[in-house]
Amino acid sequence: MAARRLFHLQPCESPPAAMSRNGYFFEESGYLKCDTDDVKEEGAGEELFDGVNSTIVSGDSIRFFVNVNLEGPPSATAESEGAGCVLLHTSRKYLKLKNFEEEVRAQRDLDGFLARASIILDETATSLDDVLREMLKHFAEDPENMEPSCNFEKIMNTLFTDSGTPREGNGTPDVSESTGMNVQTCPSHLKFHLLSDTIQGVTATVTGVQYQQSWLCIICTIKSLQRRHVCISRLERPQNWGENSCEVRFVILVLAPPKMKSTKTATEVGRTFATMFSDITFRQKLLETKTEEEFKEALVHQRHLLTVANQRPSGMKDGHKSQGNKPLKLHDFLNIGKGISDDIARRFPVYALDFTDGIIGNNKAIGKYITTMIFLYFACLLPSIAFGSLNDENTRGAIDVRKTIFGQCIGGLLYALFSGQPLVVLLTTAPLALYINVIRGICDDYHLDFSAFYAWIGLWNSFFLVIYSLFNFSLLMKLFKRSTEEIIALFISITFVLDAIKGIVKVFKKYYYHGHTGGVKSRADAIPGLGINTTFLMNSSVSENQTCTHDGHYGRETAVLSLMLMLGTLWLGHTLYQFKKSPYLHARVREILSDCALPISVLTFSVVGSYIFKEIEMSKFNYNASDSLFVLAPVQSLSIGSVMSAMGLGFLLSMLFFIEQNIVASLTNAPENRLVKGTAYHWDLLLVALINTGLSVFGLPWIHAAFPHSPMHVRALAYVEERVESGHIYETGSLVPGEVNEFSLGQKPVACAQGKSRKGLLPRKRILAWIVSVKETRLTSLMANFLVGLSLLLLPFPLQWIPKPVLFGLFLYIALTSIDGNQLFERVALLLKEQTAYPPTHYIRRVPQRKIHYFTGLQVLQLLILCGFGMSPLPYMKMIFPLIMIGMIPIRYNLLPRIIEAKYLDAMDAEY
């Protein structure tokens, strides 16, 4: 928000009657001051003071939003004499001092000013109006600053906020030089004008806020301008222009067109020069300069000082903790079991609280637990059905839907009970289904027993994971920068999208282009095994076990309805997920609808597909009732050579487990989630190894930490600040650079911005999730996985009534919600936006635009390589994509710094 400076309105020496009765009120630092000659009306003014004074503190920042009604209590006398009244709306915001070392625009703003400097030394004008007119005149006379379509008289009017109540008659204007305000002395018409938008230095003290009164930065947005202009005027003598501006020696005027990049607005340029003028030593040097060249040299020297002063140790840059960048040493990995013991020592003291928080005590969250449990139940059950159906087709029934659901239940319950971070969600995923498909192909090629070979690969995988956890290999995740994590996260989201697209394409190939195979079925003819293979990442053929009773165009209806169900599930789920940001219904109802978006959308369109359109044949997952869920794999049937070959596949699989488990845990424990009970990377990795050992020997599908389910679980248990703006509810955003999130005593001066709310004046703020706290509990995961186990009783019906296109819509919903906040995706979107729409993010401020696009292009290239291996039609190439993920570490540390400077890479990898 721009700064609004409101000067104290001083009445004239001989104020008219109406003026002395009503007075003028000035709001400054959270209080109102009234000057009046009528003692009786002073009492009314005090009453108004008690009602209007308002200081609103939001989060860590301090903002004053005051609507000041200047009208006193109505009286018949006042009305008869035509007393006037105006309303003043005042808003304040504290701006952070500009970092000349990190924010690239700070250097460029000064370079642009020095290239065509507009400097006025020893200005003799005494009133604010005259000083500004001289500065605008200097613009008009400078051939380098010509604006052909600009009317400087209109600019002069725009610099001020003119307010008044027109009445009959005319008055003679009288200018008060001490305040720089134009006041009509006639009682029938009262008019004054105040500066609209200013930035001024302030310092927090024990007694309040102290203003720097020797300089004033005035900013303004003018539509007719073609480029930005800055003029600095040094006054010959200090001027008294009202309260908090009693000894002004420097005036900085910043003019800018409205459509500018967020880092080039008038506020941002003003912040650059305000930061420089906030130094009293620098202002003293400017007073001693004799010529413009000396003045420019002082500016350049001050820039150098600010750049050096803002340099910090590399370990403390970019919002990262210094210990986070501490180099790893060999003895960190040779201290066997230290990471596991530290994790247990950290988490065990709060283990009991994981069951009681939100249930016992004042801050109960039972309702939130219930909605989160419902969401998590469907988030675990539906992927289990989808990937279970896929594994059933790929393994020819060796791993089916029933086994997948049972494995999810057992693994999820064990992890929820004994893990160090119970908010992490374990699931079987698309990459794991890919491995299972490749393993089946190897068994067919070499005539191996699938169950035994699968078990040995799982056992070797667990063995390597135990080694990783004992030797503290999770410390290596410090080498994974944010950019690398986002590439992997976006890769997972792309796999979900491709799963859905491939599935719906196969439905169209089956029913739309070969419509004679489709048909209308009656309820009596429904076959439980009815299904069509939608191989998400794999290439499998469509099952042909459907029998059709009618020929014709009905198959096309199946294809079209499948598309509608998929898109409808996506639309309804995402709409309800975003419903918490709407102004409709009660806040608690909005939260429930948002948390239950996934089950509501799935259930709704399952009813639509299986009941409302029951005459249209729909593809459903296969269900084969196996004899037993506990059948030990014949591990002794394989030869030594086969066991050794399984070790190689198990090692590659352990790489995938290691990366996925630690990256998802890192995203769950991100600082912005405000988790307080600590992390347990090493212990959780060991627990995952033990869980998958049991799953392997019984032929159940493997599971590991799932993205984006784990961050979504955290979000469902979080309390988020909200604000209302223009009738809509927004989550309170993290403050962009240029704002202050703290204002404590003893700080350096900060720029205090005041101004009226005018469209186009301020850079748009980027709205981010601002989590206040999270209920860290095991109960939601425990209950959700327990319900998943009970869902075995719902097979084959009613779970088989969930059409596969609804599952495709589920995958699209997961992919869409997971890319929210992904910086790589946001920077790719910048390529399609005009510069004026760029958000004022930390990397936009700190990194040149060209470097940002270079870095984005290199990330996209790495993503394409990863997708090329992970989604290759060659089965053996798919298995090495975990090594591609590991290979991104040397690329980030060795190759990228040769293309882009390290400081820019660190800025784009920072959290803020």
Side-chain angles (χ1 to χ4, degrees), residues 352-558:
L353 296 178
D354 292 339
F355 295 93
T356 59
D357 283 351
I359 302 296
I360 301 175
N362 296 327
N363 299 322
K364 291 184 173 61
I366 298 177
K368 180 173 283 289
Y369 284 3
I370 293 175
T371 57
T372 303
M373 178 194 65
I374 295 173
F375 152 76
L376 195 59
Y377 165 65
F378 281 90
C380 294
L381 177 64
L382 296 177
S384 298
I385 294 174
F387 290 113
S389 174
L390 173 62
N391 290 329
D392 178 46
E393 295 166 352
N394 292 334
T395 63
R396 294 190 285 278
I399 300 177
D400 57 6
V401 174
R402 191 160 171 255
K403 284 189 174 183
T404 304
I405 293 178
F406 183 73
Q408 173 63 42
C409 172
I410 297 299
L413 286 175
L414 291 175
Y415 193 82
L417 280 173
F418 302 111
S419 66
Q421 182 48 273
L423 299 184
V424 172
V425 179
L426 298 190
L427 284 174
T428 186
T429 60
L432 292 179
L434 180 151
Y435 263 77
I436 293 174
N437 183 48
V438 174
I439 292 170
R440 183 70 214 194
I442 294 175
C443 291
D444 292 340
D445 293 340
Y446 295 95
H447 307 289
L448 301 175
D449 182 87
F450 172 77
S451 299
F453 197 59
Y454 176 85
W456 272 112
I457 293 175
L459 291 175
W460 280 116
N461 168 61
S462 297
F463 170 76
F464 287 116
L465 292 180
V466 170
I467 296 298
Y468 301 156
S469 60
L470 289 177
F471 287 90
N472 312 316
F473 274 29
S474 291
L475 296 175
L476 291 173
M477 296 309 296
K478 293 181 180 180
L479 301 178
F480 276 82
K481 295 288 189 177
R482 172 175 178 166
S483 56
T484 306
E485 295 177 354
E486 289 181 338
I487 292 173
I488 297 174
L490 197 56
F491 167 75
I492 297 174
S493 299
I494 291 174
T495 61
F496 278 109
V497 174
L498 290 180
D499 289 349
I501 293 176
K502 287 187 176 183
I504 201 67
V505 166
K506 288 185 178 295
V507 170
F508 267 74
K509 286 182 178 179
K510 175 66 179 177
Y511 290 100
Y512 193 85
Y513 296 105
H514 304 282
H516 292 286
T517 61
V520 178
K521 65 179 180 68
S522 63
R523 292 179 64 89
D525 293 332
I527 302 175
L530 189 65
I532 178 173
N533 185 357
T534 56
T535 64
F536 307 95
L537 290 174
M538 277 55 70
N539 299 317
S540 300
S541 59
V542 178
S543 60
E544 302 290 344
N545 59 346
Q546 291 99 337
T547 58
C548 306
T549 58
H550 295 274
D551 295 333
H553 62 280
Y554 298 106
R556 294 192 170 187
E557 292 181 353
T558 300

Side-chain angles (χ1 to χ4, degrees), residues 615-640:
E615 295 85 2
I616 299 179
E617 181 179 333
M618 293 300 300
S619 61
K620 296 180 173 62
F621 65 86
N622 294 321
Y623 171 73
N624 300 317
S626 55
D627 297 334
S628 176
L629 293 172
F630 296 98
V631 178
L632 285 173
V635 293
Q636 72 282 357
S637 63
L638 292 184
S639 63
I640 298 298

Side-chain angles (χ1 to χ4, degrees), residues 218-419:
I218 304 170
I219 59 179
C220 187
T221 301
I222 307 296
K223 293 182 179 180
S224 58
L225 292 181
Q226 296 181 355
R227 56 186 176 85
R228 299 171 299 163
H229 300 275
V230 179
C231 182
I232 300 177
S233 178
R234 186 183 70 185
L235 306 183
E236 187 178 31
R237 296 183 182 84
Q239 299 299 327
N240 183 357
W241 288 338
E243 191 171 0
N244 300 324
S245 298
C246 298
E247 49 182 22
V248 179
R249 288 299 303 269
F250 297 96
V251 178
I252 305 105
L253 177 62
V254 179
L255 307 177
K259 291 186 177 181
M260 296 295 293
K261 189 178 177 181
S262 58
T263 55
K264 298 181 181 180
T265 60
T267 302
E268 286 299 309
V269 178
R271 192 162 71 93
T272 298
F273 288 93
T275 300
M276 302 181 72
F277 276 82
S278 63
D279 186 354
I280 187 173
T281 305
F282 170 66
R283 297 196 300 270
Q284 187 62 35
K285 289 182 179 179
L286 290 182
L287 291 176
E288 297 172 357
T289 58
K290 304 298 183 182
T291 63
E292 288 190 14
E293 291 301 323
E294 292 180 3
F295 199 96
K296 292 179 183 179
E297 291 176 0
L299 289 172
V300 174
H301 181 66
Q302 180 67 6
R303 175 176 64 179
H304 173 72
L305 294 178
L306 290 174
T307 302
V308 174
N310 285 325
Q311 290 179 350
R312 295 173 292 173
S314 59
M316 295 299 295
K317 284 188 181 183
D318 307 321
H320 291 297
K321 296 180 181 179
S322 58
Q323 59 266 29
N325 288 333
K326 184 170 142 184
L328 298 174
K329 298 181 180 179
L330 182 60
H331 69 80
D332 293 331
F333 303 101
L334 297 180
N335 199 347
I336 300 176
K338 184 178 185 302
I340 296 175
S341 62
D342 290 345
D343 290 343
I344 295 176
R346 185 185 306 115
R347 289 292 304 190
F348 186 74
V350 296
Y351 183 79
L353 296 178
D354 292 339
F355 295 93
T356 59
D357 283 351
I359 302 296
I360 301 175
N362 296 327
N363 299 322
K364 291 184 173 61
I366 298 177
K368 180 173 283 289
Y369 284 3
I370 293 175
T371 57
T372 303
M373 178 194 65
I374 295 173
F375 152 76
L376 195 59
Y377 165 65
F378 281 90
C380 294
L381 177 64
L382 296 177
S384 298
I385 294 174
F387 290 113
S389 174
L390 173 62
N391 290 329
D392 178 46
E393 295 166 352
N394 292 334
T395 63
R396 294 190 285 278
I399 300 177
D400 57 6
V401 174
R402 191 160 171 255
K403 284 189 174 183
T404 304
I405 293 178
F406 183 73
Q408 173 63 42
C409 172
I410 297 299
L413 286 175
L414 291 175
Y415 193 82
L417 280 173
F418 302 111
S419 66

Side-chain angles (χ1 to χ4, degrees), residues 739-756:
E739 299 178 13
V740 169
N741 58 2
E742 56 185 40
F743 193 69
S744 56
L745 298 179
Q747 282 187 320
K748 293 181 180 180
V750 297
C752 176
Q754 308 176 40
K756 60 182 181 178

